[in-house]
Amino acid sequence: MFRGRLVKQKIALEGLTLALVMLVCQLILILAMSAVWFYLTGASAGYSALYGGGMYWVPQALFTVWVLRRKVTTESVGLVLRDFYGGAGIKLVSTTGLFALMFGAGVEVVTVSFFATYILALVVQWMVSFTLNNHY
């Protein structure tokens, strides 16, 4: 936990690098899953998998950008919690909006590939987060 110590700039830079690497790895995973669905079951399933992965990746990228936009200094340490709450709100609203836009617009999707890719991206994020934060 935080325990009253100030976050050093080097740790923040490592966190930023890790977050960006995780975003790129998730994007590669989503593209790979879309390619697998495309070649196994057709173009419609591949596009649906891409939509499902995008439903997860875009809000996650917005959350990451929002949380890591501030340069960490001794004065900004108290704002980290506020940034996380703001980022979570942005992620919730953008996820809800994307789902409403997708299904409200009547876009034809293959449900299995759509939700399989969405859930896979979500579970991988949880596993990586729990593995990297196992010291808490």
Side-chain angles (χ1 to χ4, degrees):
M1 297 294 259
F2 187 68
R3 297 188 187 127
R5 284 181 259 153
L6 296 178
V7 177
K8 297 190 187 318
Q9 189 65 33
K10 181 180 178 190
I11 294 172
L13 181 62
E14 291 172 358
L16 174 64
T17 305
L18 179 64
L20 294 177
V21 166
M22 285 177 57
L23 277 176
V24 169
C25 288
Q26 285 175 331
L27 185 59
I28 292 169
L29 171 73
I30 291 165
L31 293 174
M33 284 300 297
S34 298
V36 167
W37 281 104
F38 181 84
Y39 288 115
L40 290 180
T41 57
S44 179
Y47 287 128
S48 297
L50 197 58
Y51 293 150
M55 289 288 184
Y56 176 78
W57 192 83
V58 170
Q60 183 65 31
L62 290 173
F63 172 81
T64 301
V65 168
W66 180 263
V67 169
L68 298 176
R69 68 188 158 80
R70 186 185 314 273
K71 185 174 181 178
V72 177
T73 63
T74 56
E75 293 84 24
S76 68
V77 171
L79 301 174
V80 170
L81 184 61
R82 187 182 80 181
D83 285 345
F84 269 90
Y85 281 130
I90 288 170
K91 188 173 179 181
L92 178 65
V93 168
S94 62
T95 301
T96 305
L98 285 173
F99 271 106
L101 179 67
M102 176 66 95
F103 293 120
V107 176
E108 294 289 327
V109 295
V110 177
T111 311
V112 174
S113 63
F114 179 85
F115 284 110
T117 306
Y118 180 84
I119 291 170
L120 178 68
L122 183 66
V123 168
V124 167
Q125 172 68 32
W126 289 345
M127 289 173 26
V128 169
S129 294
F130 293 146
T131 303
L132 295 176
N133 292 324
N134 63 1
H135 59 278
Y136 291 122

